[in-house]
Amino acid sequence: MTGPTLLSNIVPILSIEEEGTMQQKNLLDLLKMAVFKDDCWYAQLKTMLGNPLEPPASSISECNTSCPKYCDEVKHFVLPVKRSVLSVFLSDTFINNLSGQITPEIFVQKLYVYPEVGKIIYNQARSNNASALMLVTVTVLQLIASELIRLNFDEDNICYCRLNVTDLIPAYLDESIWGLLSMVD
C-alpha cells in the first residue's frame, strides 16, 4: 500500500518568513487587547477573529458578565507604572549595563530584583493579593505590547528581548508610546 501522493503544483500563498511575521503581529495585537484596551474581551476577539471575507459586524454585543473587564480582574494584575523610573530601568538594562543576550526570563528577573521595584515603579508596596512575580511579568508584557521592547528570535528559535530603537533614539523617549500604558502620577 502506498501513501498519498502530494500535488506538485501546490504553491504556498505566504513564505515562511511572511507567515512568521503575520503570526507575530497577530500575537502582538492580542497582547495589546489583553493589557491595554478597556473593552469586553469577547467583543474584541469576535472582531479580531471574524471572517475576513465578510464585512465587519455593525454591532457586536458585549458579554457583560464573564470577561476580565466586567469581572474587574484586570486592575489586579495590570498596574500603573512610573515612566521616569521605567525609562531608567530600560536604559540601565539595555544601554548602560549590557550583559549579553537577554531572554524574556532574564528580563523579568532583572525587573523583579530591581531595587524597591514595587515602591519606585508602581508607587506602592508589594501586594499581598497578587504574586509580585506575576505583576512584574505582566509589566513586561505591557512593555512588549507598547513596543518599548521587542522580541527577536535567533536561528535556533531562542527568544531575546531588545530595546526598540528608531534612528538611534530609544523608544522610551517617544511620548506616543507611553500613552498606551497606565501611568502613576
Side-chain angles (χ1 to χ4, degrees), residues 30-71:
L30 183 63
L31 184 57
K32 286 178 181 182
M33 181 210 76
V35 298
F36 292 142
K37 295 188 177 176
D38 192 27
D39 297 326
C40 171
W41 286 18
Y42 169 78
Q44 288 184 75
L45 285 171
K46 202 162 187 178
T47 301
M48 288 171 70
L49 302 175
N51 185 342
L53 300 177
E54 294 178 4
S58 57
S59 67
I60 296 176
S61 59
E62 296 187 353
C63 68
N64 291 325
T65 57
S66 57
C67 74
K69 175 194 176 191
Y70 289 104
C71 296

Side-chain angles (χ1 to χ4, degrees), residues 21-182:
T21 301
M22 184 178 75
Q23 289 175 354
Q24 285 182 351
K25 183 199 171 302
N26 290 342
L27 283 171
L28 189 61
D29 289 344
L30 183 63
L31 184 57
K32 286 178 181 182
M33 181 210 76
V35 298
F36 292 142
K37 295 188 177 176
D38 192 27
D39 297 326
C40 171
W41 286 18
Y42 169 78
Q44 288 184 75
L45 285 171
K46 202 162 187 178
T47 301
M48 288 171 70
L49 302 175
N51 185 342
L53 300 177
E54 294 178 4
S58 57
S59 67
I60 296 176
S61 59
E62 296 187 353
C63 68
N64 291 325
T65 57
S66 57
C67 74
K69 175 194 176 191
Y70 289 104
C71 296
D72 213 20
E73 293 174 2
V74 174
K75 72 177 184 180
H76 296 294
F77 60 89
V78 177
L79 294 178
V81 294
K82 265 189 163 170
R83 176 184 176 173
S84 58
V85 178
L86 209 46
S87 294
V88 169
F89 168 76
L90 291 170
S91 175
D92 285 348
T93 302
F94 290 106
I95 297 172
N96 299 337
N97 190 19
L98 188 59
S99 58
Q101 304 283 13
I102 299 174
T103 64
E105 295 83 8
I106 291 171
F107 187 71
V108 166
Q109 190 60 31
K110 283 180 176 280
L111 184 56
Y112 183 73
V113 299
Y114 200 67
E116 303 211 28
V117 64
K119 190 186 293 182
I120 62 173
I121 290 182
Y122 304 113
N123 207 30
Q124 64 185 29
R126 292 193 180 202
S127 169
N128 293 332
N129 297 334
S131 158
L133 186 57
M134 189 224 17
L135 294 174
V136 167
T137 303
V138 171
T139 299
V140 171
L141 292 175
Q142 287 180 285
L143 294 174
I144 294 167
S146 67
E147 300 183 48
L148 282 163
I149 63 172
R150 69 178 190 278
L151 301 178
N152 286 6
F153 296 86
D154 68 9
E155 60 278 349
D156 297 322
N157 282 332
I158 297 174
C159 182
Y160 297 103
C161 296
R162 300 271 190 265
L163 179 64
N164 234 350
V165 176
T166 305
D167 296 327
L168 301 177
I169 300 172
Y172 58 78
L173 296 176
D174 182 351
E175 289 290 326
S176 64
I177 288 178
W178 292 99
L180 297 170
L181 292 152
S182 177

